[in-house]
């Protein structure tokens, strides 16, 4: 009996996308995507709907033909291969289980296509079902299984033939929150156990951050940024990346007078930036700060030297359960949100004058102007 | 319940009562009293058995022709755009809107030895195709007339099949043709069974087409029944014939419904998400 499935000896292979394009008439679904997944990596394609992430996945699987560009798996071109010859596992959001087959027959399907023997099929199907924790439901039909169980069968079916690459298209989208979090852990566990390369598509940024080795952020058919979870969250390189991944505050910059200092448009207040910040050459820049990096305190208190500060008035306090959000109006066109963890609330309330402070290292300067570009003080 | 009263009374008067009457007739004899005389006559007369078999063979061939023509047609309806689909649907429905008599007479004209079709086949070297008055001619005409009964239930099933399952099967290593046979075909079975059942049962009792296109030598059971009723005036014999036909039909419907129920249960709830 071959138990490699459990022992995870197999390693995944590298996937490379080069200048991948997909056009439908005038509409560009995917535009010059270059992306590499390392062997055994968990790579997530994250973006809003219509951003091209699913189209990219379908091109890897072979369901969509690229307009141009190359797809390489383990160093070999696979562009010309039809889906059934690519040997790539895929899990769909809608499960795509065959309703007229039992869980066992569903999982056995890819093995039958590969002309495996009956005894081998039996062993491997049961092994795969065990792996996803459904060993006892082998003879149930899909309609007799819950959504989460159906997705596990789909997962077992996608890995039973030991593909070196597994694609998942929003596999947890149809599940409720609790089940989703549980399945996230399960998928991570299976990833570690199998050691194969995973490419995972989602629009849920939390899912992307918790599960992935690296995240590729898609927008309008292009990749905005690729990096580890903390890379893309703490050091976004574009406004879109900053705003799509969680909440963020953006301040328009009027000018950058000297290295490490930016002047906020309309306020004439200097803001310190991280010391290694590259100052922009052209004009139009934005400072981005995460709400949880901001501190609100009653106005006029002495602040620690070297921090940034803006004064404003609390407009609204929103209770979020594990945290609260304090919305502060700094000027009629500048609003900041401060996120305070439960138990660490500042004594400010609606209507209070507050100083908002943050460490210079927590600001990120982007060479892009924030959307409502109110450039009253544009120098 | 009160709303069901009109239809209940109607069925009672015009369906249940005549049925009971025929049943009673089939068990009666001239010497009065209950007897199996008519059934004994039916099964002892070789012509009856021959015609019964011919009726079933004809119905089966008509059903097969309808499946072979109807399946691709219904499949095509599921893959084309909305405008083409509407057109195909109308083409399938036109026979419904045309009087049965008109269609039969049209076939009578089409199958004449002097008709265009016959001329063309002769020119193409098929020789003299004898369709009028033969079972083959009856099959052709009946298949065309009954095709909508095959296409519509088939289409209703096919359009509910999730085509993404085919992509999933291909992703799992199945060639497109294998994906079709292993996934699409089994899921379309309930529609095929439903359509076949309709066509088969309707064929069994078809009278007009075999009477007009066919010939007395090749008559089907319904023609024999009419003969018994209107020429021989033996209502007992006609009753027995009708009952045999009915019984066989009911058994077939029951068998087919067993098969579809199992299939439908599996496919209907396939879409959970």
């Amino acid at each position: 009996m071959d138990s490699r499935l459990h022992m995870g000896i197999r390693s995944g292979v590298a996937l490379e996308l080069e200048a991948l394009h997909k056009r439908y008439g005038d509409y560009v679904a995917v535009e010059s995507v270059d992306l590499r997944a390392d062997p055994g990596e968990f790579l997530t394609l994250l973006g809003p709907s219509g951003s091209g992430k699913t189209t990219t996945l379908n091109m890897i699987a072979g369901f969509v033909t690229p307009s141009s560009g190359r797809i390489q798996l383990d160093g070999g071109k696979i562009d010309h291969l039809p889906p059934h010859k690519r040997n790539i596992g895929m899990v769909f959001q809608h499960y795509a289980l065959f309703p007229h087959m039992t869980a066992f027959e569903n999982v056995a399907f890819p093995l039958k296509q590969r002309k495996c023997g009956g005894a081998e099929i039996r062993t491997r199907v049961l092994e795969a079902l065990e792996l996803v924790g459904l060993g006892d439901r082998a003879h149930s039909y899909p309609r007799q299984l819950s959504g989460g169980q159906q997705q596990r069968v789909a997962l077992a079916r996608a890995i039973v033939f030991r593909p070196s690459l597994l694609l998942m298209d929003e596999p947890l989208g149809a599940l409720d929150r609790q089940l989703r979090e549980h399945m996230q852990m399960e998928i991570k566990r299976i990833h570690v156990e199998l050691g194969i390369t995973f490419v995972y598509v989602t629009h849920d940024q939390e899912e992307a951050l918790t599960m992935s080795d690296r995240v590729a952020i898609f927008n309008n058919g292009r990749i905005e940024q690729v990096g580890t979870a903390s890379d893309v969250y703490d050091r976004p390189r574009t406004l879109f990346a900053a705003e799509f991944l969680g909440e963020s505050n953006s301040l328009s910059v009027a000018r950058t007078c000297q290295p490490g200092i930016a002047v906020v448009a309309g306020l004439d207040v200097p803001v310190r930036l991280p010391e290694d910040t590259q100052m922009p050459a052209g004009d139009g820049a934005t400072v981005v700060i995460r709400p949880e990096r901001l501190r609100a305190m009653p106005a006029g208190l002495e602040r620690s030297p070297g921090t940034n500060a803006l004064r404003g008035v609390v407009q609204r306090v929103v209770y979020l359960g594990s945290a609260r959000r304090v919305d502060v109006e700094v000027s009629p066109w500048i609003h900041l949100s401060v996120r305070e963890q439960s138990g660490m609330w500042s004594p400010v309330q609606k209507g209070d004058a507050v100083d908002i402070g943050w460490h210079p290292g927590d600001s990120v300067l982007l060479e892009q102007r924030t959307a409502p570009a109110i450039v009253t003080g544009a120098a | 319940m009160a709303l069901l009263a009109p239809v209940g009374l109607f069925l009672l008067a015009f369906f249940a009562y005549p049925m009971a009457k025929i049943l009673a007739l089939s068990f009666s004899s001239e010497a009065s009293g209950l007897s199996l005389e008519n059934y004994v006559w039916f099964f002892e007369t070789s012509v009856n058995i021959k015609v019964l078999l011919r009726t079933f063979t004809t119905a089966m061939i008509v059903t097969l022709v309808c499946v072979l023509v109807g399946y691709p047609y219904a499949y095509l309806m599921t893959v084309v755009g909305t405008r083409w689909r509407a057109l195909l649907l109308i083409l399938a429905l036109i026979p419904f809107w045309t009087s049965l008599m008109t269609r039969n007479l049209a076939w009578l004209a089409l199958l004449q030895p002097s008709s265009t079709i016959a001329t063309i086949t002769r020119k193409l070297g098929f020789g003299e195709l004898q369709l009028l008055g033969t079972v083959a001619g009856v099959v052709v005409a009946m298949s065309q007339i009954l095709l909508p009964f095959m296409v519509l239930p088939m289409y209703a099933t096919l359009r509910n099949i999730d085509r993404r399952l085919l992509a999933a099967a291909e992703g799992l290593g199945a060639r497109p043709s294998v994906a079709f046979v292993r996934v699409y075909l089994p899921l379309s079975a309930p529609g095929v069974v439903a359509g076949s059942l309709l066509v088969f049962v309707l064929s069994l009792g078809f009278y007009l087409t075999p009477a007009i296109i066919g010939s007395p030598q090749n008559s089907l059971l319904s023609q024999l029944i009419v003969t018994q009723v209107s020429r021989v005036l033996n209502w007992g014999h006609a009753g027995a014939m009708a009952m045999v036909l009915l019984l066989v039909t009911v058994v077939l419907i029951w068998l087919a419904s067993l098969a579809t129920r199992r299939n439908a249960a599996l496919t209907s709830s396939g879409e959970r998400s």
Side-chain angles (χ1 to χ4, degrees):
Chain A
M1 176 180 139
D2 187 349
S3 58
R4 286 189 303 179
L5 190 63
H6 266 172
M7 295 166 70
I9 292 171
R10 267 181 76 87
S11 56
V13 296
L15 169 75
E16 273 174 284
L17 310 181
E18 270 178 62
L20 211 54
H21 277 77
K22 181 61 193 179
R23 285 176 289 270
Y24 295 100
D26 287 340
Y27 176 69
V28 181
V30 171
E31 199 175 357
S32 58
V33 161
D34 290 291
L35 193 60
R36 187 190 149 82
D38 291 319
E41 189 179 24
F42 196 122
L43 175 70
T44 296
L45 315 185
L46 173 70
S49 49
S51 60
K53 56 192 195 307
T54 297
T55 308
T56 303
L57 198 75
N58 281 330
M59 286 194 277
I60 301 171
F63 299 135
V64 171
T65 312
S67 305
S68 64
R70 296 212 307 172
I71 304 171
Q72 286 194 310
L73 197 61
D74 201 16
K77 270 191 70 163
I78 58 166
D79 310 49
H80 57 290
L81 292 175
H84 69 274
K85 288 194 178 144
R86 295 198 179 190
N87 212 32
I88 294 174
M90 179 140 178
V91 178
F92 301 86
Q93 176 176 12
H94 52 94
Y95 317 143
L97 292 180
F98 306 128
H100 58 300
M101 299 184 195
T102 61
F104 185 97
E105 289 164 341
N106 264 284
V107 179
F109 187 87
L111 298 178
K112 283 193 181 148
Q113 303 314 312
R114 287 165 179 77
K115 310 274 182 268
C116 295
E120 191 194 355
I121 288 180
R122 208 183 143 67
T123 315
R124 282 168 66 175
V125 168
L126 292 179
E127 209 174 49
L129 284 172
E130 281 304 328
L131 183 69
V132 297
L134 278 180
D136 54 335
R137 300 306 302 270
H139 299 293
S140 304
Y141 282 94
R143 75 197 146 94
Q144 297 166 323
L145 300 171
S146 69
Q149 288 172 327
Q150 289 187 46
Q151 194 54 288
R152 284 160 191 264
V153 175
L155 185 58
R157 190 178 64 174
I159 57 179
V160 72
F161 58 99
R162 297 168 191 155
S164 40
L165 173 66
L166 181 67
L167 309 177
M168 305 181 96
D169 184 10
E170 308 226 8
L172 309 181
L175 304 179
D176 62 53
R177 188 183 173 82
Q178 249 183 334
L179 195 54
R180 204 161 62 220
E181 282 172 6
H182 180 70
M183 283 299 287
Q184 287 174 8
M185 307 294 291
E186 286 284 282
I187 290 173
K188 268 313 271 187
R189 175 180 67 82
I190 288 165
H191 174 241
V192 171
E193 234 169 281
L194 297 180
I196 62 178
T197 313
F198 275 42
V199 177
Y200 191 96
V201 162
T202 184
H203 63 262
D204 182 333
Q205 38 112 357
E206 227 171 278
E207 206 166 280
L209 294 179
T210 54
M211 296 176 77
S212 327
D213 293 324
R214 282 191 311 148
V215 180
I217 300 173
F218 275 71
N219 183 33
N220 286 329
R222 291 175 160 276
I223 293 182
E224 295 259 338
Q225 187 174 356
V226 186
T228 63
S230 67
D231 264 347
V232 292
Y233 187 80
D234 293 327
R235 284 179 293 283
R237 281 215 304 272
T238 66
L239 261 181
F240 178 84
E243 279 161 8
F244 189 72
L245 273 182
E247 288 171 68
S248 68
N249 294 296
S250 8
L251 295 169
S252 279
V253 170
R255 60 183 185 277
T256 47
C257 42
Q258 61 189 91
I261 296 204
V263 177
V264 178
L267 283 183
D268 248 3
V269 177
V271 166
R272 281 170 205 274
L273 304 170
E275 276 161 21
D276 57 352
T277 302
Q278 294 282 320
M279 300 311 279
D283 59 30
T286 304
V287 173
V288 172
I289 321 122
R290 295 286 177 197
E292 67 271 18
R293 301 285 185 167
L294 297 178
R295 296 280 168 272
M297 57 201 121
L301 289 184
E302 200 177 328
R303 62 190 164 96
S304 38
T307 57
N308 293 313
L310 293 173
R311 181 160 297 182
V313 175
V314 178
Q315 277 195 315
R316 191 167 45 231
V317 177
V318 181
Y319 180 70
L320 303 169
S322 65
R324 73 169 187 174
R325 200 181 76 217
V326 181
D327 293 340
V328 177
E329 183 181 285
V330 176
S331 78
W333 52 84
I334 299 177
H335 297 259
L336 294 177
S337 285
V338 183
R339 191 184 170 92
E340 298 177 329
Q341 283 304 310
S342 180
M344 301 179 69
W345 291 358
S346 59
V348 303
Q349 275 167 20
K350 187 179 173 185
D352 287 357
V354 291
D355 277 335
I356 294 175
W358 73 95
H359 192 269
D362 292 333
S363 13
V364 177
L365 184 76
L366 300 175
E367 285 187 56
Q368 255 175 311
R369 196 167 277 160
T370 179
I374 298 151
V375 280
T376 43
Chain B
M1 284 311 281
L3 293 176
L4 290 176
V7 75
L9 284 173
F10 183 86
L11 285 177
L12 209 62
F14 297 104
F15 181 70
Y17 172 72
M19 285 292 290
K21 191 82 184 162
I22 291 175
L23 185 68
L25 274 173
S26 73
F27 284 107
S28 68
S29 70
E30 308 219 353
S32 86
L34 270 174
S35 98
L36 285 173
E37 197 180 284
N38 295 316
Y39 290 92
V40 172
W41 165 82
F42 181 86
F43 288 106
E44 279 185 348
T45 312
S46 66
V47 174
N48 287 339
I49 304 302
K50 209 170 142 195
V51 171
L52 184 67
L53 286 178
R54 185 191 294 140
T55 306
F56 274 90
T57 329
T58 308
M60 261 185 268
I61 295 171
V62 168
T63 308
L64 192 68
V65 170
C66 281
V67 169
L68 293 179
V69 177
Y71 198 97
Y73 193 92
Y75 183 85
L76 194 64
M77 283 173 73
T78 65
V79 293
V80 295
T82 42
R83 194 169 300 185
W84 276 102
R85 178 164 30 237
L87 184 70
L88 288 173
L89 192 64
I90 288 171
L91 284 178
L93 282 172
I94 282 177
F96 264 149
W97 301 332
T98 318
S99 136
L100 192 59
M101 207 61 199
T102 314
R103 282 184 282 162
N104 279 308
L105 292 173
W107 274 113
L108 189 59
L110 279 173
L111 298 176
Q112 291 294 333
S114 58
S115 71
T116 323
I117 292 183
T119 315
I120 290 172
T121 50
R122 206 162 35 233
K123 291 247 163 86
L124 285 174
F126 286 103
E128 289 297 330
L129 271 184
Q130 183 58 41
L131 287 173
L132 210 57
T134 64
V135 174
V138 171
V139 164
V140 169
M142 275 172 74
S143 302
Q144 189 272 327
I145 288 165
L146 290 172
L147 195 59
F149 293 97
M150 181 63 80
V151 168
L152 296 180
M154 253 184 191
Y155 171 63
T157 301
L158 296 194
R159 70 162 181 198
N160 285 326
I161 296 178
D162 186 353
R163 298 191 61 83
R164 295 175 300 189
L165 293 176
L166 290 173
E170 284 173 43
L172 292 167
R175 269 180 291 123
S177 57
V178 175
F180 185 85
V181 171
R182 295 286 314 276
V183 176
Y184 197 91
L185 221 47
L187 292 176
S188 67
V192 177
V193 173
S196 303
L197 201 60
L198 266 178
V199 171
F200 187 75
V201 168
L202 288 172
S203 307
L204 284 180
F206 236 54
Y207 171 68
L208 220 45
T209 307
I212 295 177
I213 310 285
S215 60
Q217 298 94 301
N218 291 317
S219 65
L220 302 183
L221 199 60
S222 55
Q223 289 164 273
L224 279 198
I225 294 175
V226 172
T227 309
Q228 288 295 330
V229 170
S230 61
R231 301 248 178 87
V232 188
L233 297 181
N234 191 328
W235 290 62
H237 284 176
M241 289 165 125
M243 279 300 138
V244 169
L245 192 58
L246 181 68
L247 191 70
V248 175
T249 309
V250 167
V251 167
L252 280 172
I253 292 178
W254 176 67
L255 284 177
S257 77
L258 282 187
T260 26
R261 203 176 308 150
R262 183 178 164 274
N263 254 313
L266 295 181
T267 44
S268 62
S269 49
E271 291 279 287
R272 240 175 208 273
S273 53

